[in-house]
Amino acid sequence: MADYNRLALLVSDTDRAQDAASAFRDLADWVPLEQADAAVVLGGDGFMLQTLHAMLDTGRTIPAYGVNLGTVGFLMNRNRNPDTLLARLAKAKPVTISPLAMEATTQDGTQHRFCAINEVSLLRETRQTAKIVVSVDEKVRIKELVCDGVLVSTPAGSTAYNLSADGPILPLDSQLLALTPISAFRPRRWKGAILPDRSRVTFHVLEPDKRPVSVVADQKELRDVAEVSLEIARDSELTLLFDPGHALDERIVAEQFVV
């Protein structure tokens, strides 16, 4: 049973979250995020991702307990009686997730580095299909993937965009990555691959002037990329807190039986 003495309260700017926040503000002597040893996050999955990215940007990551005041709430806990919050926090199960570190080079040679908790996706910018070379651990696996795009997903993100693109759902402790094409034209029958999470995946864009491609790392977009490489960021692990019986690993399993 964990004991979090200094808590930060982070609230989405949506009306629903703001209205609910008043019931939480009297529960604890909240402190700023930089002084806290755990965070309570009121909002939806998007706001949780925003919060986790803010932690990664500062280099100081603390456990985050989400209260769902959004829509899907895959990364969140159910919105229950606020008076039980502290008791639920004490019993919460920690789940560790590892983000992807992405290095991208644009057509002008500029290099950028972002992290992605869910997925990194390459997407065509115009009506022209993208043509992409796919390499894994420096070995070319597909010489020319003709497609609308391609993505690499972590287990935590495998039920998001990856699932919509007909990619596989990955158990949280699987130590795997999903490599999933988006509307592939050639090879037409290629449905993607499941890779060990120690893999380094590289995408090289062919004919970038005629067929420009953007890359999106969760909520950050970079246009006109020439090459993108990514691998698990071992030094940037994040911790989510879940009520017993409602942990992320259980939700990932349950999602596979939704009909």
Side-chain angles (χ1 to χ4, degrees):
M1 182 177 293
D3 184 17
Y4 302 110
N5 296 315
R6 296 172 297 170
L7 298 172
L9 181 64
L10 306 175
V11 184
S12 168
D13 60 6
T14 64
D15 291 341
R16 186 181 176 196
Q18 290 291 325
D19 290 343
S22 59
F24 288 84
R25 289 198 171 99
D26 294 333
L27 296 177
D29 293 325
W30 306 101
V31 300
L33 183 61
E34 59 270 17
Q35 299 175 14
D37 49 28
V40 175
V41 182
L42 307 185
D45 287 337
F47 186 63
M48 176 60 85
L49 286 175
Q50 179 182 326
T51 299
L52 296 175
H53 276 288
M55 292 183 189
L56 289 173
D57 290 343
T58 63
R60 183 174 183 270
T61 59
I62 59 175
Y65 179 92
V67 177
N68 186 27
L69 290 160
T71 50
V72 178
F74 198 79
L75 301 175
M76 317 297 280
N77 295 282
R78 293 175 184 171
N79 180 24
R80 298 177 178 176
N81 184 351
D83 292 338
T84 65
L85 174 68
L86 298 183
R88 283 184 281 140
L89 263 175
K91 298 178 181 179
K93 175 184 177 181
V95 175
T96 300
I97 58 176
S98 299
L100 288 165
M102 181 200 77
E103 297 176 352
T105 304
T106 54
Q107 293 181 36
D108 63 6
T110 306
Q111 294 185 329
H112 303 261
R113 180 181 171 90
F114 297 143
C115 278
I117 297 164
N118 275 357
E119 77 279 317
V120 171
S121 54
L122 276 70
L123 304 165
R124 65 184 175 97
E125 294 180 11
T126 68
R127 61 184 176 82
Q128 295 279 2
T129 56
K131 290 187 176 181
I132 300 170
V133 180
V134 180
S135 300
V136 179
D137 295 329
E138 314 306 326
K139 182 176 182 178
V140 173
R141 294 295 182 177
I142 298 181
K143 293 182 179 180
E144 186 179 86
L145 175 62
V146 183
C147 57
D148 281 354
V150 62
L151 65 84
V152 174
S153 169
T154 66
S158 66
T159 57
Y161 191 10
N162 172 70
L163 181 59
S164 298
D166 204 26
I169 295 176
L170 302 176
L172 201 61
D173 59 355
S174 63
Q175 298 183 315
L176 298 171
L177 298 173
L179 172 59
T180 302
I182 302 169
S183 300
F185 177 74
R186 190 171 60 243
R188 191 181 297 273
R189 292 181 175 81
W190 186 63
K191 298 300 183 182
I194 297 174
L195 304 173
D197 71 355
R198 63 180 180 274
S199 303
R200 180 176 176 86
V201 182
T202 302
F203 302 112
H204 178 73
V205 178
L206 300 174
E207 303 177 37
D209 292 332
K210 180 181 179 181
R211 305 171 185 273
V213 171
S214 65
V215 64
V216 181
D218 284 350
Q219 300 162 332
K220 295 181 179 179
E221 181 180 10
L222 184 66
R223 297 181 70 82
D224 301 333
V225 296
E227 188 168 279
V228 175
S229 295
L230 50 93
E231 59 190 339
I232 287 291
R234 301 290 178 189
D235 58 348
S236 300
E237 290 186 339
L238 296 159
T239 301
L240 295 176
L241 300 173
F242 290 98
D243 294 333
H246 296 280
L248 186 56
D249 50 358
E250 165 58 24
R251 295 183 184 195
I252 287 175
V253 172
E255 192 71 22
Q256 298 176 79
F257 294 91
V258 174
V259 295

